[in-house]
Amino acid sequence: MTSVQSARATAHANIALAKYWGKSDLKLNLPAVPSISMTLDRLVTETLVTRDASLRADRVFLDGKKAGKNESARVVQMLSRFRDAAGLSDSGEHFCRVESENHFPTAAGLASSASGFAALSLAASKALDLKWSTKRLSAMARWSSASAARSLYGGFVELKAGKAGDEKLAANPIAGKDHWDVRLVVAVTAKGPKKVGSTEGMERSRKTSPMYDAWVEQAPKLTRTIKRALKARDLDTLGQAMQQSTMFFHACAMSSAPQILYWQPPTIAALRTLERLRDRGVSVWATMDAGPHVKALCHANDAAKVQRALKKTDGVLSTMNLSVGPDAQVVTA
Ligand code: DP6
């Protein structure tokens, strides 16, 4: 190893078609339910990791600024796990500077931990000279944020539920980027970060929602339906099950104590817009994450129509039309 070694990697955000909500093991960050996602093309994080023997601690910069305490701690924790697993000491020789940039169109409030930890795991493995498989990197990313495990791969990706002690649980790709030309039209409905992060939302749902056990029991069935429909390119079947997966996890959040209501008035307005489009024969289906934005899945040739309708919807601030994205990649040069 030389005294300074750097590597740059990109990873794309993903949208879960079958949602992950809830953990079966907090320490290993294992999901309680299986999930399936689609990687997204234009939501990219680019991360440069430089291992520098002159550093006395890891240093973290996000979008050009020194990272806050919590963000920095999560990054350092991931780097420590890498060093641990590789048998490298947490010492001067192996400390790293991490510079991460989100290249997301406009300040949409969509920045996610998924692309961030996926890009970090790939760049860190190269900067530390580790010849690890993508599968192993996906398991490392999962440990920091389960949705990040899926962002190592392009196309359509599955992450199974974790069984006790399943330290190596990783995502696996189930269909390539060119399998299906569907689009995700995002309607941004509010500014600023969400009030309750997904990790906290999941835990509160598990501990207090009377619907949580039913969710954990039913989610595998929805995921199976979504996987079959994805393989068969059957958007109506996939869309129906995807909406149910979203509504079910939001129902867990809403029925928690204290309640977690991610929706805003424009969220409902956007959902109604999609209902009206469906009434007119357009196959368009809603999904949402732990926030107020509505994300509509449709065929490529309906995307312009869907985007126009969402743009006109009361309270919608901006829209984006996203395609299926590629694998996480090392950036050379
Ligand atoms: C609603 O992956 O952010 O977006 O593992 O605690 O970091 P942690 O959670 P995270 O949760 C994502 C939740 C979701 C659904 C999904 O992406 O599957």
Side-chain angles (χ1 to χ4, degrees):
M1 267 195 192
T2 52
S3 60
V4 177
Q5 178 158 324
S6 55
R8 191 185 288 277
T10 55
H12 293 246
N14 69 75
I15 181 74
L17 310 175
K19 297 295 179 185
Y20 146 54
W21 192 253
K23 299 168 198 279
S24 58
D25 183 326
L26 257 183
K27 198 165 149 273
L28 295 178
N29 201 35
L30 297 174
V33 297
S35 59
I36 291 179
S37 61
M38 165 175 148
T39 301
L40 300 168
D41 66 341
R42 286 159 57 223
L43 306 183
V44 192
T45 300
E46 183 167 342
T47 301
L48 173 66
V49 176
T50 308
R51 189 187 55 74
D52 181 343
S54 70
L55 291 174
R56 290 291 151 261
D58 295 315
R59 312 207 44 196
V60 184
F61 299 87
L62 299 180
D63 292 322
K65 288 193 222 88
K66 194 163 170 271
K69 223 169 135 195
N70 293 346
E71 290 157 321
S72 180
R74 281 180 84 182
V75 170
V76 170
Q77 193 178 36
M78 180 183 247
L79 293 171
S80 292
R81 282 196 197 111
F82 267 86
R83 286 183 290 244
D84 238 30
L88 303 170
S89 58
D90 247 350
S91 74
E93 253 182 292
H94 306 117
F95 284 129
C96 297
R97 185 170 52 251
V98 173
E99 293 155 84
S100 192
E101 308 269 339
N102 281 321
H103 301 303
F104 286 23
T106 61
L110 289 172
S112 84
S113 54
S115 52
F117 284 112
L120 177 62
S121 66
L122 185 53
S125 72
K126 299 292 169 201
L128 293 170
D129 240 353
L130 308 172
K131 312 267 180 295
W132 289 357
S133 64
T134 309
K135 194 169 176 184
R136 185 152 186 199
L137 296 179
S138 169
M140 293 302 282
R142 185 220 76 240
W143 206 324
S144 291
S145 185
S147 56
R150 302 184 308 233
S151 273
L152 265 305
Y153 299 101
F156 300 87
V157 186
E158 179 177 40
L159 177 64
K160 298 234 155 82
K163 293 183 217 65
D166 210 352
E167 226 177 270
K168 294 188 177 149
L169 182 77
N172 58 288
I174 51 174
K177 185 172 163 315
D178 299 325
H179 169 70
W180 201 13
D181 197 9
V182 283
R183 296 294 154 85
L184 189 80
V185 181
V186 179
V188 175
T189 58
K191 287 194 190 115
K194 57 198 172 203
K195 288 204 179 70
V196 182
S198 29
T199 309
E200 187 190 336
M202 287 178 203
E203 272 308 280
R204 200 185 297 170
S205 298
R206 183 176 68 80
K207 288 183 189 147
T208 67
S209 168
M211 304 189 74
Y212 183 79
D213 288 345
W215 159 248
V216 172
E217 193 195 310
Q218 294 298 319
K221 271 187 229 161
L222 287 171
T223 305
R224 277 198 296 276
T225 303
I226 288 168
K227 191 171 176 179
R228 268 199 306 270
L230 172 66
K231 297 223 153 145
R233 300 186 189 86
D234 173 353
L235 188 57
D236 288 353
T237 305
L238 187 150
Q240 189 66 260
M242 176 183 83
Q243 279 195 178
Q244 210 178 356
S245 174
T246 282
M247 294 300 174
F248 208 151
F249 104 71
H250 275 275
C252 290
M254 286 176 199
S255 55
S256 296
Q259 73 170 36
I260 309 167
L261 181 58
Y262 287 114
W263 301 9
Q264 294 295 337
T267 311
I268 309 272
L271 291 173
R272 294 286 182 221
T273 295
L274 301 186
E275 251 176 41
R276 278 193 296 275
L277 284 168
R278 275 198 301 280
D279 288 346
R280 283 167 32 208
V282 182
S283 184
V284 58
W285 306 91
T287 183
M288 283 170 281
D289 290 318
H293 311 310
V294 174
K295 295 145 188 190
L297 188 72
C298 62
H299 289 297
N301 56 9
D302 285 329
K305 193 188 301 170
V306 169
Q307 191 168 15
R308 268 197 309 278
L310 284 171
K311 218 179 234 167
K312 281 197 309 218
T313 301
D314 260 359
V316 169
L317 302 175
S318 61
T319 58
M320 257 181 288
N321 177 356
L322 304 170
S323 312
V324 188
D327 290 345
Q329 273 155 37
V330 174
V331 182
T332 43

